[in-house]
Amino acid sequence: MTGCRQGAHGTGNTREETLMRRTFLKTLVAAAAAATLALPGAAQAAYPERPITMIVPWGAGGGTDATARIVGSLLEKELGQPVNVVNRTGGSGVVGHAAIADAAPDGYTLGIITVEIGMMHWQGLTKLTYADYTPLALMNFDPAGVQVRADAPYKDVKELLAAIKANPGKYKASGTGQGGIWHLALAGMLAMSDIPPSAAPWVPSNGAAPGLQDLVAGGVEVVTCSVPEARSLIEAGRVKSLAIMSDTRSELFPDLPTLKEAAGIDWTLGAWRGFAAPKGLPADIQDKLVAALEKIYKSAEFQDFMKSRGFGVSWAAKEDFVAYMKKSDESLGTVMKELGLAK
């Protein structure tokens, strides 16, 4: 009896010890799993687990759209997930820029933000500024060009300016939304020529592509946009470019004079494009995206694509991109106030 009781008691101890060991092991496993998830590289290694949406605030066919699509296609290869490019136009760029800023900061909504983010708030169109995003990388810069129809009577930009000055209100212009970068390019050129910016009324458009189509159709007489955006129409013999608002000539169009060369006007302005995410994106996802974008920027595929279309390339990541946008915002605000375009 005693032996049986001792035996039974001994069996009880073994069961309790087994349960205790199992509980202890489960606790260890859970703690190890929690510690693994807490490691800086853990979330990064898991991202991305599903397709990514890239928002473009401007219409299909323009330079911003083309830049976003080449980067999106190369980003798919780097991240191993589809990158779906979506054009969200309207509001002179406000709709798309707001869609990027308002998305969840989880890395599954990215966007290409443009120079207009440093202009729209000066116009009173939105309260959004560059500070409302997680900056990733600047990858493109293009100066403005002055485009007219191929059959226009002006042989150079000086003749165009003379015609506008002699006939205020007659010659309409387009290329982007009211107060957008290409509008500012025109206004600055006119002001530097002692011509009131109002002498060439601006017809708003959702980007360069629709503005150029309006030019070809006869709805407007001038489009200020980057020369690469007008390239296909130039090569088709339907549009001609008279000058470029840059310190140096275009590699794509080396015969195209700068505005200073063509008319003695020391006015340069261009559009930049960079990639960003909603504010609050986790640091590990930021790092993964910036590393992927830098690899893309340095790749032959990206460089060849941009060069073949005459798009300028420029790199600035994270804090450097912030400093670039801050400087752009301040300088554009100053010019817009001087031209009466700021509210």
Side-chain angles (χ1 to χ4, degrees):
M1 293 290 293
T2 301
C4 289
R5 285 196 298 270
Q6 285 177 344
H9 185 67
T11 301
N13 279 340
T14 299
R15 288 173 181 170
E16 288 176 4
E17 289 171 359
T18 300
L19 289 172
M20 288 177 66
R21 281 196 296 270
R22 287 177 179 173
T23 302
F24 181 67
L25 287 172
K26 287 180 180 178
T27 302
L28 282 178
V29 170
T36 300
L37 289 173
L39 290 173
Q44 181 176 339
Y47 170 85
E49 297 179 318
R50 53 188 171 86
I52 295 168
T53 296
M54 180 178 290
I55 296 173
V56 180
W58 303 103
T64 303
D65 181 67
T67 302
R69 289 183 186 279
I70 182 61
V71 171
S73 67
L74 296 174
L75 198 57
E76 284 188 357
K77 298 176 183 178
E78 292 299 319
L79 299 180
Q81 289 287 351
V83 176
N84 303 312
V85 178
V86 178
N87 298 88
R88 295 288 302 276
T89 63
S92 297
V94 173
V95 171
H97 281 91
I100 300 166
D102 294 342
D106 56 9
Y108 291 100
T109 300
L110 309 176
I112 183 167
I113 60 175
T114 63
V115 65
E116 283 82 7
I117 194 62
M119 302 171 64
M120 297 184 295
H121 68 98
W122 291 113
Q123 299 167 259
L125 298 176
T126 180
K127 293 183 178 179
L128 285 173
T129 72
Y130 66 90
D132 293 302
Y133 302 89
T134 297
L136 299 173
L138 170 75
M139 295 180 72
N140 165 244
F141 174 79
D142 289 312
V146 183
Q147 280 69 236
V148 296
R149 281 188 300 279
D151 60 358
Y154 331 107
K155 68 176 185 290
D156 56 36
V157 73
K158 289 177 68 175
E159 290 190 356
L160 170 65
L161 291 169
I164 293 173
K165 188 172 185 177
N167 302 277
K170 179 179 179 180
Y171 299 96
K172 296 181 177 64
S174 188
T176 188
Q178 184 76 24
I181 186 64
W182 302 139
H183 183 194
L184 185 55
L186 175 77
M189 178 180 70
L190 294 176
M192 293 292 286
S193 305
D194 296 322
I195 302 172
S198 59
W202 189 259
V203 178
S205 67
N206 283 319
L212 288 163
Q213 290 301 322
D214 201 12
L215 174 68
V216 171
V220 298
E221 286 72 37
V222 185
V223 166
T224 41
C225 68
S226 70
V227 182
E229 289 176 303
R231 181 183 181 181
S232 61
L233 290 172
I234 292 173
E235 292 179 342
R238 305 180 74 185
V239 168
K240 63 182 177 181
S241 189
L242 301 178
I244 189 170
M245 299 181 193
S246 175
D247 291 325
T248 58
R249 293 194 177 198
S250 166
E251 289 187 15
L252 184 62
F253 296 97
D255 294 331
L256 181 62
T258 66
L259 193 57
K260 189 171 184 178
E261 290 174 330
I265 302 171
D266 192 11
W267 171 250
T268 61
L269 193 70
W272 56 258
R273 302 175 179 103
F275 293 86
K279 192 173 183 178
L281 186 69
D284 55 339
I285 298 179
Q286 289 184 46
D287 291 342
K288 186 162 189 175
L289 286 169
V290 171
L293 289 171
E294 185 171 13
K295 187 174 179 181
I296 289 168
Y297 179 81
K298 293 177 178 178
S299 71
E301 294 97 324
F302 177 76
Q303 293 290 330
D304 290 346
F305 177 90
M306 300 298 275
K307 185 176 181 179
S308 68
R309 286 156 181 77
F311 295 164
V313 293
S314 184
W315 175 261
K318 299 182 75 172
E319 292 82 5
D320 290 338
F321 188 20
V322 172
Y324 183 94
M325 289 191 288
K326 184 176 186 294
K327 183 178 179 180
S328 175
D329 187 286
E330 292 171 351
S331 61
L332 288 169
T334 299
V335 175
M336 292 178 75
K337 289 174 183 177
E338 291 176 353
L339 296 175
L341 294 173
K343 292 184 179 180

